[in-house]
Amino acid sequence: MSAELIAECEAAAKDFIAECDANGDGVIEWSEIEGKFGADWSPEERTERQAAYKEMDINGDGKVDKEEFVKWMVGVMTKESAQ
């Protein structure tokens, strides 16, 4: 895993958390993502997005912090590049 990939994922995590963190606590909860983006989701999209959120929430506390987001994103990008 390259330092460049990790840096990209860290920047994306920072931006995503800043965009979605409605209460300013430094983490994102499902309700914040749903509130920000969910108005136009079909039921299938909602299910897919919620499944991805659950994958991101590595420790299962209902919140996604920067470290969890980065780990998830690196995993997704690594998987995509292997295909």
Side-chain angles (χ1 to χ4, degrees):
M1 178 175 338
S2 73
E4 185 177 314
L5 174 64
I6 292 171
E8 280 182 46
C9 292
E10 287 177 346
K14 181 181 174 187
D15 291 346
F16 188 68
I17 290 171
E19 183 175 0
C20 296
D21 184 17
N23 64 7
D25 64 355
V27 296
I28 49 176
E29 297 177 37
W30 171 248
S31 60
E32 292 173 313
I33 293 173
E34 191 174 35
K36 177 82 176 170
F37 302 109
D40 296 326
W41 290 342
S42 69
E44 294 81 17
E45 287 173 312
R46 186 173 313 285
T47 299
E48 290 172 11
R49 305 279 197 278
Q50 194 165 27
Y53 179 82
K54 287 180 181 181
E55 286 178 19
M56 285 183 229
D57 184 14
I58 295 168
N59 66 8
D61 68 353
K63 300 174 183 180
V64 174
D65 61 23
K66 182 180 174 188
E67 183 179 313
E68 288 174 311
F69 187 92
V70 168
K71 286 180 182 178
W72 174 80
M73 191 168 186
V74 166
V76 167
M77 292 179 78
T78 302
K79 195 182 308 180
E80 287 177 0
S81 67
Q83 294 178 355

